[in-house]
Amino acid sequence: MIVLEGVKKSFGKKKILTGVNLKINEGSSLVIIGRSGTGKSVLIKCILALENYDEGTIHINKIENSNKNNKTFYDQFGMLFQGGALFDSIPIWENISFRLLRGNQKISRSDAKQLASEKLKLVGLNSDIIDLYPSELSGGMQKRVALARAIAGDPKVIFFDEPTTGLDPIMANVINRLIREIVVEMGVTAITITHDINSTRIIADDVAMLDSGKVQWKGEINHLDNSGNKMVDQFINGLATGPISNNY
Amino acid sequence: MIFIRGIGKTTLHALSGIGRVFLFIANILANLLTRPFYFKELGHSLINIGYFSLPVVGLTTFFTGGALALQIFAGGARFNAEAVVPQIVAIGLVRELGPVLVGLMIAARVTSSIAAEIATMKVTEQLNALKTLSTNPIKYLVIPRVLAAIIVLPILVSIGNIIGIFGGYIVSTRALDFNWISYLQSTVSFLELSDITSSLIKASAFGGIASLMGCYFGIHSGQGARGVGEATRSSVEAAAIFILVANFVLTGALF
């Protein structure tokens, strides 16, 4: 279980998170929705200890994440970055098996290549691209490779940062369904941030709405359309007027 | 008042920058001797910094050696000392010009490349991706590059010194009518071991500075294309200045 209590984060005078309280149950898929620039990416970077937060606590399975110097801290996580963040100087298979070629989970290069091939198939890609470099792939294929890398070490928790941004509607739908399949089949805890309501409906078990630096509503996906929260209603219906501030 | 405030602001900015560089060095030292070690990355860096810099180092030192021979011949002719060309070319290149020129060429070629590469990795979240894949960017990106430059620069400078002396030899024997045997004898007999060791010590120091600045400015770059551009420019400026300052300090210490 991941528990956030009173998490605050500012960049200079700009307050991004003003006291986030959130519980994410083990094995559930939580989607955090909210307008662009509301601090969704900052929030998951705080959970992953990629950003230091100013106040509050974040516990992952009862261990505070400030203990990031623990060498196994990141072994429990997988992360799909918004732009893929594939390493462009190494081939696809080394990207996918990166964690497994070094460090605590090290395996042989031949096994790593075999595993990369299996993970590629899992995300619907043919293994004949395994020796190509990321720049030789389309955006959608890069996203799938990044997804394969995120799941390669069999992590317990996977983060998805805007998984469908920049993709055409068909590819976005393919990625959404892949994420849902992976979450169900692997039984992992998944945290996805998006402002895409279609993605939310496919991926989520639970939804949290982030605005003005706080969680404004959290509930099951079944309750999204009748949440009783005006901010959620405005967001999911894409209304120009409502309680959500137009100011960033 | 505004003038004094400006001086204070600039001084504080410079001091905080130096402080951050020292913290960065401390971070490198803290990670240097702990596992894991990335020998493959070290090998790649040795080839990138060493082998691929050979053409630019060779051309720079060859023409510098040739020009130096011409200048010393012209200057020496004013007091009938044209015969000192081989000795001055050798000592000038080995003690001073070889390490400094190679250091500056490496600053232009390698520092800029390291800074741009790491800054781009930062902008495209590849540094964060490394962390989430249980890989410390300092160990994986910085230490191999810094170590490689410290190891390979003495080799590059030695090769540069030889090519530079060869440049002086070609010009002296072809254009200035020096006897080739006496030129070589003068060069070899004049150089002392301390000349060579001081050259190699300087080379290692300049290699460390060049790669360190590339890594530092890459890791601390701003966002976007502008951030990458500024990181690259700042890294080359800082590397060149620190190499020249270190050259002065080391020359004084090794004199």
Side-chain angles (χ1 to χ4, degrees):
Chain A
M1 180 187 273
I2 299 172
V3 182
L4 289 81
E5 289 176 327
V7 175
K8 294 182 181 178
K9 173 72 183 173
S10 300
F11 291 105
K13 290 179 183 174
K14 192 171 172 63
K15 292 179 179 174
I16 305 297
L17 305 176
T18 55
V20 174
N21 297 303
L22 195 60
K23 281 184 184 171
I24 304 155
N25 293 322
E26 201 170 329
S28 72
S29 173
L30 173 77
V31 173
I32 302 170
I33 57 172
R35 297 190 65 195
S36 300
T38 50
K40 302 188 297 293
S41 291
V42 173
L43 181 63
I44 62 168
K45 282 178 182 168
C46 286
I47 298 172
L48 276 166
L50 296 174
E51 289 278 2
N52 295 321
Y53 43 95
D54 304 327
E55 286 181 46
T57 56
I58 299 176
H59 286 89
I60 298 162
N61 295 329
K62 297 181 180 173
I63 299 168
E64 192 165 3
N65 83 333
S66 58
N67 188 23
K68 60 183 176 182
N69 286 330
N70 180 348
K71 285 180 181 172
T72 59
F73 176 76
Y74 284 111
D75 289 353
Q76 59 191 317
F77 300 120
M79 169 88 188
L80 172 64
F81 286 88
Q82 190 172 347
L86 295 173
F87 306 124
D88 37 32
S89 59
I90 56 176
I92 298 302
W93 76 267
E94 282 193 48
N95 262 286
I96 295 170
S97 303
F98 191 90
R99 194 203 298 265
L100 305 166
L101 285 166
R102 44 188 68 79
N104 303 319
Q105 298 169 293
K106 192 171 180 178
I107 58 175
S108 72
R109 288 179 73 79
S110 57
D111 287 348
K113 200 164 187 177
Q114 178 62 34
L115 185 133
S117 179
E118 288 166 14
K119 296 297 178 187
L120 269 182
K121 281 179 192 160
L122 206 60
V123 297
L125 286 173
N126 200 317
S127 60
D128 58 6
I129 63 159
I130 211 159
D131 290 315
L132 297 179
Y133 284 81
S135 59
E136 296 175 272
L137 303 182
S138 68
M141 289 169 90
Q142 286 187 23
K143 208 95 178 190
R144 290 205 214 187
V145 172
L147 186 55
R149 182 176 71 180
I151 61 174
D154 294 330
K156 292 175 187 161
V157 184
I158 309 182
F159 295 83
F160 302 99
D161 184 358
E162 304 279 8
T164 56
T165 297
L167 300 178
D168 65 73
I170 295 168
M171 184 54 69
N173 206 15
V174 168
I175 294 283
N176 287 334
R177 290 181 190 285
L178 271 172
I179 290 172
R180 187 65 210 173
E181 279 173 28
I182 287 164
V183 167
V184 171
E185 284 174 19
M186 292 174 67
V188 298
T189 306
I191 301 164
T192 307
I193 56 174
T194 185
H195 45 68
D196 180 346
I197 288 301
N198 288 333
S199 293
T200 306
R201 292 187 194 285
I202 295 170
I203 296 169
D205 292 324
D206 301 306
V207 181
M209 166 95 189
L210 191 69
D211 195 76
S212 305
K214 284 186 173 145
V215 175
Q216 301 291 345
W217 179 82
K218 183 176 179 259
E220 292 177 16
I221 183 67
N222 304 335
H223 299 148
L224 185 65
D225 290 319
N226 48 11
S227 65
N229 183 297
K230 288 180 179 173
M231 281 188 172
V232 174
D233 289 344
Q234 184 190 350
F235 186 80
I236 64 173
N237 293 309
L239 303 174
T241 55
I244 296 175
S245 165
N246 278 321
N247 300 322
Y248 287 102
Chain B
M1 195 64 185
I2 294 170
F3 176 68
I4 294 169
R5 194 183 296 160
I7 293 172
K9 196 176 174 183
T10 308
T11 309
L12 282 175
H13 185 70
L15 288 174
S16 67
I18 291 168
R20 280 196 296 271
V21 170
F22 275 104
L23 283 175
F24 188 65
I25 293 169
N27 195 3
I28 292 171
L29 293 175
N31 282 289
L32 189 62
L33 298 175
T34 55
R35 293 170 76 85
F37 305 112
Y38 296 106
F39 292 111
K40 194 179 165 193
E41 300 309 312
L42 178 64
H44 282 155
S45 297
L46 284 170
I47 292 168
N48 277 334
I49 299 172
Y51 182 72
F52 290 120
S53 297
L54 276 173
V56 71
V57 165
L59 285 170
T60 305
T61 50
F62 179 83
F63 288 112
T64 303
L68 197 58
L70 288 171
Q71 293 281 20
I72 294 163
F73 185 82
R78 294 176 192 172
F79 45 92
N80 297 320
E82 298 96 325
V84 296
V85 168
Q87 292 90 331
I88 304 295
V89 167
I91 201 166
L93 274 165
V94 172
R95 286 192 75 104
E96 187 66 27
L97 286 175
V100 171
L101 283 177
V102 172
L104 291 176
M105 293 313 290
I106 292 297
R109 186 187 171 275
V110 175
T111 306
S112 57
S113 151
I114 291 174
E117 184 183 3
I118 296 179
T120 305
M121 288 182 77
K122 183 177 181 183
V123 168
T124 56
E125 295 211 88
Q126 291 178 52
L127 292 188
N128 278 338
L130 274 178
K131 290 179 193 168
T132 62
L133 292 166
S134 312
T135 304
N136 181 343
I138 296 289
K139 280 182 166 292
Y140 184 72
L141 295 173
V142 176
I143 289 176
R145 284 164 173 78
V146 173
L147 278 184
I150 290 172
I151 292 167
V152 89
L153 253 280
I155 300 169
L156 273 180
V157 166
S158 300
I159 294 169
N161 288 342
I162 293 166
I163 294 173
I165 289 170
F166 180 67
Y169 164 85
I170 292 286
V171 169
S172 301
T173 55
R174 300 296 161 103
L176 306 175
D177 292 331
F178 274 78
N179 177 276
W180 70 274
I181 296 174
S182 64
Y183 190 98
L184 290 178
Q185 279 174 340
S186 300
T187 301
V188 173
S189 61
F190 189 74
L191 280 177
E192 293 176 0
L193 184 64
S194 64
D195 299 328
I196 295 165
T197 52
S198 75
S199 185
L200 299 183
I201 290 167
K202 280 184 177 181
S204 257
F206 298 165
I209 289 169
S211 54
L212 191 70
M213 289 299 109
C215 293
Y216 172 80
F217 283 98
I219 294 261
H220 294 92
S221 80
Q223 292 300 311
R226 189 178 171 187
V228 175
E230 281 186 5
T232 309
R233 178 184 52 75
S234 304
S235 69
V236 176
E237 283 174 357
I241 289 167
F242 280 124
I243 283 171
L244 293 173
V245 171
N247 180 55
F248 175 71
V249 172
L250 285 172
T251 302
L254 300 167
F255 192 63

